[in-house]
Amino acid sequence: MAERREKKAAGSAGNTLAGRLARLGLRRDIDFVLHLPLRYEDETRITAVSDALPGVAAQFEVEVVSCEIVFRPRRQLVVRARDDSGTLILRFLNFYPSQQKVLQPGVRLRIFGELRDSFLGDEMIHPRFHAVPNFVASSGANTNVKHAALPAGLTPVYPTTAGLGQATLRRLASRALARSDLVDTLPADVLAKLALPSFADAVRLLHSPSPECSLEQLESRHHPAWRRVQFDELLAQQLSLRRAYTARRALGAPQLLANGTLTRPLLAALPFRLTSAQQRAGHEIANDLTQPHPMQRLLQGDVGSGKTIVAALAMLHAIEAGYQAALMAPTEILAEQHYRKLSVWLAPLGIDVAWLT
């Protein structure tokens, strides 16, 4: 019973705002700063219905003409809306009573989405929408509708998880940016040489790009701000690899000093000569084995390129230095194949070869 209560409490904690943010790794301000948008939507302008292009996302400001629930072919909410240039249909296959309550005739909406052609005319499926005030400005005999204020920049769309809306992520990212002191990690001369923006300018632009920014450059990751982030990611990777390399070099390892008493007879008995690439790889490995720190190498080659003989030469190097050697394989069948081949090569040299599974 106590275990069930504990699991239930844990589940409840995971469904809180903090729990949902934690699923995205968002805990500190810097986490929000580096939680960059996947894409952007241009809500800085209003497109007339008559100017809309099928399949191209755009924003419209329309007035609801009618709103009804229809049952063919399935239950859905169908809204007819219009602006001065034309009429379109908003179709909601899944909807809530609260949405139906907002979408009443006479309500002015700002909607964002893609238009598509249908047999009833221009149509949008599940567009994003919100009601806007219907301001009327009068000046003498002239009366017109004044649009509510539009966003000053492109709207970011963030990676998210269930139950966590875009508005919440935008608000939290904005607060984190305002609180963060984004000190640059690169010297000014490096920034100038590589034509990169500062880190602070780059992330602020990516979270809130101005309408003048190229949407294509942003979404293709070719914008200078993205190039700065990419540079930092590659730099961080290289620094982490260098730190790992330095840590390995600090570890001790026995120096395996070989004398060639086993290697030379094996090479003479082989029915083939080593290729220049095999010789080069063998020499590099042999040199590493003489060092007072662990070797960490990847021997890469196509199937049949002779990796096994290079590994066998490394094993002989260890044996000549007075040690044992092991060759590990991912499957039992491959281990047996290596055992048979090494037995043919090494048993004539007086070396015991064992197969462990």
Side-chain angles (χ1 to χ4, degrees):
M1 180 69 72
E3 183 180 356
R4 285 201 298 271
R5 283 199 301 268
E6 184 178 338
K7 287 183 178 179
K8 183 176 180 181
S12 299
N15 287 327
T16 63
L17 176 58
R20 296 185 186 110
L21 293 172
R23 289 202 290 270
L24 295 173
L26 302 176
R27 295 178 177 85
R28 304 166 301 163
D29 281 347
I30 191 62
D31 299 329
F32 288 95
V33 170
L34 297 177
H35 190 69
L36 298 173
L38 285 170
R39 55 188 176 86
Y40 300 88
E41 294 173 343
D42 188 356
E43 297 180 314
T44 64
R45 67 197 73 188
I46 301 293
T47 300
V49 171
S50 60
D51 294 335
L53 299 175
V56 178
Q59 181 172 237
F60 309 91
E61 192 161 309
V62 294
E63 182 179 331
V64 176
V65 177
S66 64
C67 175
E68 61 179 337
I69 297 175
V70 300
F71 294 90
R72 295 168 64 181
R74 53 173 288 188
R75 185 176 183 271
Q76 53 192 288
L77 184 66
V78 176
V79 178
R80 190 175 296 273
R82 69 185 176 196
D83 65 4
D84 293 338
S85 68
T87 301
L88 55 81
I89 294 170
L90 315 180
R91 191 178 300 275
F92 300 88
L93 306 179
N94 300 294
F95 60 93
Y96 300 98
S98 57
Q99 292 174 308
Q100 185 182 2
K101 185 177 180 180
V102 171
L103 298 169
Q104 293 301 307
V107 171
R108 195 162 192 84
L109 298 176
R110 192 165 287 170
I111 57 178
F112 188 93
E114 296 181 5
L115 248 64
R116 70 172 194 176
D117 294 328
S118 73
F119 66 94
L120 294 176
D122 292 333
E123 182 178 78
M124 300 178 77
I125 306 295
H126 282 283
R128 190 172 72 248
F129 71 90
H130 64 274
V132 292
N134 195 357
F135 297 108
V136 177
S138 298
S139 177
N142 298 321
T143 301
N144 55 18
V145 174
K146 179 183 177 183
H147 294 297
L150 291 166
L154 299 176
T155 304
V157 179
Y158 294 95
T160 188
T161 187
L164 186 58
Q166 290 295 323
T168 300
L169 284 171
R170 291 176 193 132
R171 183 178 70 256
L172 294 175
S174 178
R175 289 178 182 174
L177 281 166
R179 288 193 297 258
S180 299
D181 182 17
L182 302 176
V183 179
D184 213 299
T185 55
L186 297 179
D189 58 334
V190 174
L191 293 177
K193 179 181 178 180
L194 300 176
L196 294 173
S198 71
F199 177 74
D201 289 345
V203 293
R204 288 197 171 100
L205 184 146
L206 292 176
H207 281 286
S208 183
S210 68
E212 291 75 28
C213 287
S214 167
L215 191 58
E216 181 182 359
Q217 273 196 325
L218 286 170
E219 297 198 335
S220 66
R221 304 296 196 264
H222 290 151
H223 193 279
W226 275 117
R227 288 182 56 244
R228 172 60 204 267
V229 171
Q230 293 157 359
F231 181 89
D232 280 21
E233 289 177 346
L234 289 172
L235 178 61
Q237 181 199 42
Q238 292 299 310
L239 289 174
S240 67
L241 290 174
R242 177 53 55 176
R243 289 182 64 182
Y245 174 80
T246 303
R248 290 195 304 272
R249 300 279 291 194
L251 299 175
Q255 294 177 263
L256 305 183
L257 304 176
N259 52 27
T261 55
L262 297 173
T263 303
R264 285 192 293 270
L266 173 63
L267 293 176
L270 291 174
F272 57 86
R273 291 178 58 84
L274 296 186
T275 66
S276 59
Q278 289 171 329
Q279 292 179 41
R280 183 175 66 254
H283 290 322
E284 290 176 358
I285 291 172
N287 180 67
D288 277 0
L289 292 174
T290 65
Q291 303 302 311
H293 46 74
M295 175 180 69
Q296 187 163 17
R297 277 187 180 271
L298 171 67
L299 179 63
Q300 182 174 326
D302 295 334
V303 174
S305 63
K307 298 184 294 294
T308 305
I309 186 61
V310 175
L313 292 173
M315 297 170 76
L316 282 182
H317 187 112
I319 295 169
E320 289 175 5
Y323 289 84
Q324 293 181 322
L327 189 153
M328 299 176 66
T331 66
E332 189 170 332
I333 292 177
L334 187 57
E336 182 179 4
Q337 291 173 350
H338 283 313
Y339 164 71
R340 295 182 183 278
K341 182 172 287 188
L342 291 175
S343 295
V344 172
W345 287 343
L346 304 184
L349 303 177
I351 299 172
D352 293 328
V353 183
W355 174 29
L356 304 177
T357 66

